[in-house]
Amino acid sequence: MLILGINMNSKSKSDFKTLLATAIKDNENGLVSQAKDEEIRLYKLVALISKTMLKSTYEHLPAAFDQSLNHIGHFLNMDRVYLFTLSPDSKQMSNIHEWCQKKIEPAIEMLQDLDVEIFPWWMKKLRNEEIIRIDDVNAMDDNQLAEREILQAQMIKSCLVVPLILDQNLIGFLGFDSVRHKKKWTDEEINCLVFISDIFSSAIRRQSQESRLLDSVAELQHILNETVEAFGTIIGINDPYTQNHQIRTSQLVVALGKQLDLDPQVIEGIKLASMIHDVGVVHFPSQIINKTTALSQKEYALIKTHPLRGYEIVSKIDFHQPVAEIVLQHHEKLDGSGYPNGLKSDEILFQAKVLSVADTYEAMVSNRPYRKAHPSSVALDFLIQNSGILFDPKIVDACVTLVREKGFVLWEIEE
C-alpha cells in the first residue's frame, strides 16, 4: 500500500525534460531499451497534448480539453480521467471535463459545485502543490476518511491527483482513476503528468483571458450601440422623419448583408453606420430639413455637406468597423456623380455601396415632407435602371431578390 503526497516542483519537470532529451538521442543512435522506449512514448504523449492545445482556437478549447483527456486515458490505460477547476473564491470545485473507458460509469454530473471542504486532506495537499498518489484506496487511514468514503462509493481502487497551479495559486486539478484494478504509477508517468498539468494550466489561463477579453468587447459593443441609439434620439428630437428613415434603412442593410453572405461583423458595421448615416443633419435648421417645397441651390449645397459633417462627428468614436468612412461615402455613386468627394467604382467602400442602395430604396418608398411615398415597384425599377451606373449591380440584384422573391417589407414606424 502506498499513499503519498509528492511535492510538485521544477526539479521533477527539469528531470523529465532531461530524460526525454536523452531518450530521443538514444533512439536516434539506435540505443533504445525498454525503459527508453517508455520515455519516448511519454514524450509523444506530451507532444500530442501540446499540439492539441496550441492549435485550438478559443471556441474549440473545450473540445481540446476533452480530446486531451482521451489521449491521456488511452496512453496510460486509465479508467477515468477528469479536470476539476475551483471557483474564483476557491470555495467550490466542479468537474468540467471527463473521459471514461467503456463500461466505466461517468461521474461528472454529480461532481458539480462541490464544497472543497468535503475533501479536507486532499485539498490541503493540493494547496501545498503536492501530488496525491493512492495505490490502494481501501488502505487509506482515518485521516483521509472523507476522501476514502467518496472514492469507495465510486468503486475507485487507485487514483492519482495532480494540482493545477497558476501564479502560485491552486486553480484546479487533474485526476486519474483506476476502477477495474489497482494501479501503481511509475515516476516517469507522474513526471509526465506534472508536465501536462502545466500545459492545462496555461490553457486555462488563456481561456480565462480570452473570455474576459470577449466580455470586454461585448461591453464595448453595448456601449457603442447605446451611443448610436443616443445619436438617433438626438436627431429625432428635431427631425422624426430622419430618425425613422435611419431605423428602417438599418433593417434593410442587415437583410442585404445576409443576402450577400457578408461576414456578421461586416454586417454589424454597416448596420451601425446606417443607424447614424444622416447624423450630420443636426447642423442644419429644421426648416431646411423638413421643407415641403424644392430646395434652393444654396440649401441643396448645404444638405450635400451632411456626409462630411456626419463623418466629423462619428470619426471621434473608435468603432471596430469603418463606420465613419461608410457614413462619409454613403452618397457616393459608381460613376463619380455622388458627393461629397465624387468617388468612383472601387474607390467606394463596398459597405457604403450597400448603404447607398438601402438608403435610396427606403427613401423612395417612404413619405417625404415634399412628396408621398413611391410604390416598391417604382423604387426597384429605379435601382435596376441605374445598376452599374449609380449602384453596385450585385447589391441591386440582392435588393430585388429580397423584395420581389422573398417578400421583404420594411418596418412600419409610427410617425
Side-chain angles (χ1 to χ4, degrees):
M1 184 273 291
L2 183 62
I3 302 173
L4 292 177
I6 307 168
N7 187 259
M8 189 176 76
N9 53 42
S10 58
K11 184 178 184 303
S12 63
K13 299 171 189 175
S14 177
D15 289 346
F16 182 61
K17 286 182 180 178
T18 302
L19 285 170
L20 291 178
T22 302
I24 293 168
K25 185 174 181 180
D26 288 347
N27 181 50
E28 292 171 348
N29 296 329
L31 304 173
V32 181
S33 64
Q34 184 175 356
K36 299 296 183 186
D37 189 59
E38 174 65 8
E39 289 163 7
I40 292 172
R41 195 173 75 90
L42 293 174
Y43 166 78
K44 289 180 178 178
L45 174 59
V46 171
L48 182 59
I49 301 300
S50 298
K51 181 180 178 181
T52 300
M53 288 300 183
L54 287 174
K55 74 177 184 180
S56 296
T57 57
Y58 170 76
E59 61 269 21
H60 293 132
L61 269 178
F65 282 122
D66 288 332
Q67 190 176 2
S68 296
L69 296 184
N70 186 338
H71 292 323
I72 296 169
H74 280 111
F75 259 77
L76 301 181
N77 193 28
M78 306 290 187
D79 289 329
R80 186 185 293 118
V81 185
Y82 44 89
L83 168 62
F84 267 76
T85 55
L86 300 185
S87 60
D89 61 6
S90 299
K91 293 182 179 180
Q92 292 183 314
M93 58 184 179
S94 294
N95 184 347
I96 61 170
H97 295 282
E98 181 183 82
W99 170 87
C100 297
Q101 288 278 11
K102 292 180 180 178
K103 298 183 179 180
I104 299 298
E105 190 71 23
I108 189 169
E109 289 187 4
M110 62 180 181
L111 299 175
Q112 302 298 313
D113 301 319
L114 304 177
D115 190 326
V116 296
E117 295 308 318
I118 66 171
F119 286 160
W121 169 78
W122 186 308
M123 294 305 298
K124 182 179 179 181
K125 295 292 183 184
L126 295 179
R127 289 191 182 103
N128 288 332
E129 299 187 27
E130 295 181 35
I131 299 164
I132 299 170
R133 173 180 162 188
I134 303 172
D135 293 345
D136 185 355
V137 168
N138 292 331
M140 296 174 72
D141 61 34
D142 289 344
N143 289 328
Q144 300 108 32
L145 178 62
E147 289 81 3
R148 184 181 71 199
E149 289 180 345
I150 291 173
L151 295 174
Q152 287 174 333
Q154 297 178 64
M155 308 298 290
I156 298 170
K157 293 182 171 60
S158 304
C159 76
L160 180 75
V161 185
V162 181
L164 298 177
I165 305 297
L166 199 57
D167 299 329
Q168 300 182 324
N169 294 313
L170 178 70
I171 62 168
F173 54 87
L174 286 172
F176 312 92
D177 294 343
S178 185
V179 178
R180 294 170 296 178
H181 50 75
K182 294 177 185 177
K183 179 177 176 62
K184 184 175 181 180
W185 286 270
T186 66
D187 289 344
E188 290 76 17
E189 286 176 331
I190 292 174
N191 285 335
C192 171
L193 294 173
V194 168
F195 214 76
I196 289 173
S197 75
D198 276 352
I199 298 173
F200 273 68
S201 294
S202 297
I204 290 172
R205 181 205 293 273
R206 174 187 160 201
Q207 190 175 42
S208 176
Q209 289 174 337
E210 293 197 31
S211 178
R212 288 198 297 271
L213 178 60
L214 288 174
D215 287 343
S216 297
V217 170
E219 183 179 358
L220 176 60
Q221 187 63 51
H222 178 68
I223 293 171
L224 289 177
N225 288 339
E226 287 188 332
T227 301
V228 168
E229 289 179 10
F231 273 135
T233 302
I234 292 170
I235 295 169
I237 292 173
N238 291 324
D239 183 18
Y241 161 75
T242 299
Q243 181 184 20
N244 292 343
H245 163 67
Q246 294 187 141
I247 293 172
R248 282 157 57 93
T249 302
S250 72
Q251 179 203 12
L252 181 51
V253 296
V254 170
L256 283 172
K258 292 177 180 178
Q259 180 66 26
L260 292 162
D261 198 27
L262 300 183
D263 181 274
Q265 292 298 317
V266 173
I267 295 175
E268 181 64 20
I270 309 172
K271 176 187 174 183
L272 290 173
S274 67
M275 292 176 69
I276 52 175
H277 70 274
D278 285 334
V279 68
V281 301
V282 297
H283 287 284
F284 308 147
S286 59
Q287 299 95 307
I288 295 178
I289 300 170
N290 298 308
K291 193 173 180 181
T292 58
T293 58
L295 296 174
S296 69
Q297 211 169 17
K298 287 185 179 180
E299 289 170 337
Y300 183 58
L302 181 64
I303 288 293
K304 287 173 68 176
T305 66
H306 83 270
L308 180 57
R309 291 177 177 269
Y311 172 81
E312 291 168 349
I313 296 170
V314 178
S315 62
K316 293 179 173 61
I317 305 171
D318 186 17
F319 290 99
H320 291 289
Q321 293 287 325
V323 173
E325 288 74 15
I326 299 171
V327 169
L328 177 64
Q329 297 180 12
H330 76 275
H331 275 293
E332 301 288 357
K333 305 301 179 188
L334 293 187
D335 63 0
S337 63
Y339 58 86
N341 295 315
L343 301 180
K344 293 183 179 181
S345 190
D346 292 341
E347 295 175 335
I348 308 168
L349 285 174
F350 186 78
Q351 297 97 311
K353 294 175 184 177
V354 174
L355 178 52
S356 176
V357 170
D359 182 39
T360 301
Y361 178 82
E362 197 288 329
M364 290 188 70
V365 299
S366 299
N367 290 322
R368 304 297 292 262
Y370 52 88
R371 63 155 171 80
K372 292 290 185 181
H374 294 293
S376 174
S377 58
V378 172
L380 291 179
D381 285 344
F382 177 78
L383 292 175
I384 294 169
Q385 290 164 11
N386 289 282
S387 178
I389 303 171
L390 304 181
F391 309 108
D392 187 291
K394 185 163 60 172
I395 302 169
V396 171
D397 289 345
C399 189
V400 172
T401 299
L402 276 175
V403 177
R404 287 187 175 167
E405 297 179 21
K406 298 189 175 182
F408 175 87
V409 178
L410 289 164
W411 291 325
E412 289 295 332
I413 300 176
E414 292 185 7
E415 299 293 339

